[in-house]
Every structure is written in structure tokens, then in C-alpha cells.
Amino acid sequence: MPGGSIYVQQDPKFTGASPQWYFETYWREGAKGRRRSRAIKAAVGFAVGFALALRFDLAGAAAYALALAVVVAGIDWYLSWRSFAVTAVWRGKRRDEQITGKLLRRALRKRGYSVLDGRAIRGQASIDHLVIGPGGVWIVDNESWSPDTEIASYGGRLFFGEKYGTKVAKPLVDTATAFAEMLTRETRVPVTITPLLAVHCGQLPRGGMLTAEGLTLLKPGRAAKVITSARDRVLNEEQIELLARTAARELQKS
């Protein structure tokens, strides 16, 4: 294992591998244990279903028991699969900006919002998505951490595990300010941009959203809901079109 003793023979699966490789390896190795656990849960479900059918004097008790066993096994399989699927971005199997971009376009374009992907001010930081609509302007970036990384806020400060999150929050807040200044200068439409960070893997607090140090972190599926929850209509159709055209012209594709 990295950092281990040179006098102890290392297990090959710990040699020269990334955390993602460890994760996938242990997941595959645990398949037999998950199947055994699923079979036990299904058996318990069968017994409960059979007992309930007898208790309420239902005909075909075995059929009810079998149905409940199948439901229990199916739920257990889904939860197990889901816990692995949510790590796909962190494992490099899926691209985060494609996932979030698709979710944003599907939910926002029909409501009059414009979504521009992969934009940057020349010579400055880039972002994955720029959203312009009736409720205002947002930038949405994407990030992923290991599944056991706890994302939290203490005393107004952002933390990723035991590490401060300022190095993540400040660049996005600064980029939002720079984008807003550029759009305001070029269009003469006063603009304030709200930065959002879509977290594809990592442990957010209950509710899947957290705000600290001027940045809102949330699950990708919640980004569009947060954007459309803005009650005030601050931009009209002409201003939205002007800002979108200016952004497309002035912001280079990253």
C-alpha cells in the first residue's frame, strides 16, 4: 500500500493504483457478499409476505410471499446499483459537464432560459455553464470528490472533509464577479451572477444543498430547481436575448 513498509510484501491490488481503482476493485470483490445479503433479505421478505397472507386470510399465500421477496430483492439491487452509479463521474466513466448541461437544458429552455456551455473570459478562469433567464444570471460549474468526502459548513466556512474549501469557492465567486462586470459593461444591463457548484460525488448535507463562502453547492438535479425558484423577474425577453448574444460573442469557448 502506498506509504507502507518496504519489508512487508504488498498485496498486488494496492500497488500503483488510484483511489478510483481501489473502489472499483473492492466493489467487484464484494459482489458475492452483496448477492448473499440480497438472498437473505429476499428470504425474510418471503417469510413476512407469507405470514401477512396467512394473517389476513389471503388466497395464494405463496404468491404474495414470492411477490414481496422479489420486491425486496429488487429494491436492494437498485440501492446497491445506485450507490455505485453515483460515483461514475469521480471514477472517470462519465463527464460531469454533459450530465449537468443536459439537465439544465431540459428543464430551463422551455421556460425562457438560455444555457451556454463551456465559457471563459479570455485569459481568465472558465466555467462549465452560463445560465441567463427571467430570474437572473447564474454560472454552474461541476466537481466530484470521493464518496466518503463529507462536504460541510462550520462557522460560515466551507470544508471538504478536514480541508478548507476556500480554494474551491473563491475562484468561482471571482469568476462570477468578472463575468457580471463584463456583461454589464458590454450590454449596460446591470447584472449580478450567482455561482453554483454541481457536486456529482461526495456527501452533501441532508437535502442535497449547502451554501458557504458565497457559493452554493448542490446535487446536479437540483440546479435547475434552484434557478427557477427565483421569484422576482429581473430580466425581460429582450435583455435575456441581448445578454445571451453578448456572452456568446465575448466569452470564448473553453
Side-chain angles (χ1 to χ4, degrees), residues 106-121:
R106 181 184 300 168
L108 298 178
R109 283 187 170 173
K110 59 186 177 183
R111 299 191 181 191
Y113 285 80
S114 176
V115 181
L116 288 78
D117 298 324
R119 299 290 163 167
I121 297 178

Side-chain angles (χ1 to χ4, degrees), residues 38 69-79:
R38 188 169 303 130
V70 171
V71 169
V72 170
I75 292 174
D76 183 73
W77 174 87
Y78 174 78
L79 293 177

Side-chain angles (χ1 to χ4, degrees), residues 11-27:
D11 189 318
K13 65 173 171 282
F14 291 113
T15 305
S18 67
Q20 289 83 350
W21 186 89
Y22 294 148
F23 183 86
E24 290 194 23
T25 299
Y26 288 134
W27 175 265

Side-chain angles (χ1 to χ4, degrees), residues 23-59:
F23 183 86
E24 290 194 23
T25 299
Y26 288 134
W27 175 265
R28 294 190 183 95
E29 291 178 349
K32 183 180 293 186
R34 289 193 299 273
R35 286 194 294 268
R36 185 184 305 114
S37 175
R38 188 169 303 130
I40 294 173
K41 293 174 183 177
V44 172
F46 184 91
V48 171
F50 194 83
L52 288 174
L54 293 178
R55 169 69 176 79
F56 293 101
D57 196 24
L58 299 175

Side-chain angles (χ1 to χ4, degrees), residues 16-194:
S18 67
Q20 289 83 350
W21 186 89
Y22 294 148
F23 183 86
E24 290 194 23
T25 299
Y26 288 134
W27 175 265
R28 294 190 183 95
E29 291 178 349
K32 183 180 293 186
R34 289 193 299 273
R35 286 194 294 268
R36 185 184 305 114
S37 175
R38 188 169 303 130
I40 294 173
K41 293 174 183 177
V44 172
F46 184 91
V48 171
F50 194 83
L52 288 174
L54 293 178
R55 169 69 176 79
F56 293 101
D57 196 24
L58 299 175
Y64 284 102
L66 181 60
L68 185 57
V70 171
V71 169
V72 170
I75 292 174
D76 183 73
W77 174 87
Y78 174 78
L79 293 177
S80 179
W81 170 83
R82 181 64 181 169
S83 68
F84 184 70
V86 295
T87 67
V89 170
W90 176 68
R91 291 183 289 112
K93 303 302 182 181
R94 298 187 66 186
R95 296 186 61 179
D96 48 14
E97 69 275 13
Q98 291 181 351
I99 296 172
T100 304
K102 184 177 181 179
L103 291 171
L104 291 173
R105 286 188 293 272
R106 181 184 300 168
L108 298 178
R109 283 187 170 173
K110 59 186 177 183
R111 299 191 181 191
Y113 285 80
S114 176
V115 181
L116 288 78
D117 298 324
R119 299 290 163 167
I121 297 178
R122 292 174 178 81
Q124 297 188 36
S126 64
I127 51 92
D128 292 331
H129 317 283
L130 176 67
V131 180
I132 305 170
V137 184
W138 291 259
I139 61 171
V140 184
D141 218 28
N142 296 275
E143 192 54 81
S144 186
W145 287 271
S146 61
D148 60 348
T149 299
E150 181 182 359
I151 304 171
S153 173
Y154 301 102
R157 296 204 65 175
L158 180 63
F159 286 85
F160 298 99
E162 297 180 353
K163 297 180 180 179
Y164 290 119
T166 303
K167 289 184 178 180
V168 173
K170 190 175 185 305
L172 281 176
V173 173
D174 291 346
T175 298
T177 301
F179 275 38
E181 291 175 350
M182 186 278 294
L183 288 174
T184 299
R185 182 177 64 252
E186 295 296 327
T187 64
R188 301 197 179 187
V189 177
V191 171
T192 300
I193 297 181
T194 302

